Amino acid sequence: MTITFVNGKGGVGKSTFCFLTALGLREAGKSVSIEDLDPQKSISAWVDEERDGISKTEQQEFHLIDTRPAIDDQSVHSAIERADRIIMPSTPSPGDLSAVRASYEVVQKFKRKGAKVFVGLNCVRPGTNFSQDAPGILSGLGLPLLQNALPDRQSIQRSVLLGWKAMDPGTQTAVFKLTIEIVS
Ligand SMILES: Nc1ncnc2c1ncn2[C@@H]1O[C@H](COP(=O)(O)OP(=O)(O)OP(=O)(O)O)[C@@H](O)[C@H]1O
Ligand SMILES: [Mg+2]
């Protein structure tokens, strides 16, 4: 299964979503590879093949593609065309949510038949207005949403240096549930 993470907007959590999904799949005992199409090479820097067990060279059962913050780019279109799942990370900020719509339309144009597309909320702070309102805003925009979200946590930032074990148990559970939902 190929899973592509895409959003024309920068800094919304594409690389974080991709990396944590890979860690979640490894925890579930699956073989995972990551293709890093972002010129910033965040994921390539974060993934330690030995520590995380994620291949950066050979395609595995679950192949994850991180993309650059662009939507009018050939490498992004090709990553969309190859995907079985397309995940569009966004923060719950209303500006970020409304910007997803433009990327979604491009995804619809390039995705193959049968591929599933979802917005995935990132940096969620339960109890805040933005987080509570986000599902309604997305539904008003006609955008499908993953039920599970990534919380705003320092331990997620630590995980890019130290891997799965750097996350607190609550965050590990959130990542695990999100991963299962993405691949189901
Ligand atoms: N859930 C989270 N909790 C805490 N920090 C987060 C979370 N998600 C992302 N961040 C932080 O926000 C910043 C941007 O995240 P990330 O690099 O994943 O975004 P991106 O969409 O890949 O950015 P770019 O468009 O530049 O590639 C990073 O510093 C990351 O550590
Ligand atoms: Mg990135």
Side-chain angles (χ1 to χ4, degrees), residues 19-142:
F19 180 62
L20 293 184
T21 305
L23 290 183
L25 286 165
R26 282 299 301 155
E27 277 305 299
K30 305 297 182 190
S31 66
V32 186
S33 48
I34 286 187
E35 186 175 333
D36 188 355
L37 293 181
D38 188 341
Q40 294 172 98
K41 297 285 168 209
S42 314
I43 295 256
S44 304
W46 297 347
V47 172
D48 177 331
E49 286 199 40
E50 205 158 305
R51 179 194 65 202
D52 304 317
I54 298 165
S55 176
K56 291 191 269 188
T57 47
E58 279 177 45
Q59 190 159 328
Q60 304 292 323
E61 181 189 359
F62 288 91
H63 184 62
L64 277 49
I65 309 179
D66 187 27
T67 60
R68 60 167 68 205
I71 199 65
D72 52 355
D73 179 271
Q74 203 273 326
S75 74
V76 176
H77 299 166
S78 147
I80 295 168
E81 280 167 352
R82 289 190 281 145
D84 304 292
R85 299 278 184 280
I86 296 138
I87 307 300
M88 309 183 65
S90 177
T91 78
S93 128
D96 285 357
L97 293 176
S98 55
V100 182
R101 179 76 219 179
S103 295
Y104 182 74
E105 276 160 22
V106 175
V107 167
Q108 289 301 322
K109 200 167 129 198
F110 284 95
K111 80 174 186 74
R112 64 180 180 223
K113 208 170 154 220
K116 293 185 188 171
V117 187
F118 296 101
V119 175
L121 287 178
N122 185 30
C123 288
V124 165
R125 296 183 193 168
T128 60
N129 288 344
F130 278 6
S131 295
Q132 280 166 355
D133 295 348
I137 293 174
L138 287 168
S139 146
L141 291 165

Side-chain angles (χ1 to χ4, degrees), residues 9-16 38 40 46 69 122-123 151-153 156-157:
K9 197 161 191 333
V12 290
K14 293 177 293 297
S15 301
T16 301
D38 188 341
Q40 294 172 98
W46 297 347
N122 185 30
C123 288
D152 188 357
R153 288 275 193 288
I156 285 183
Q157 295 182 4

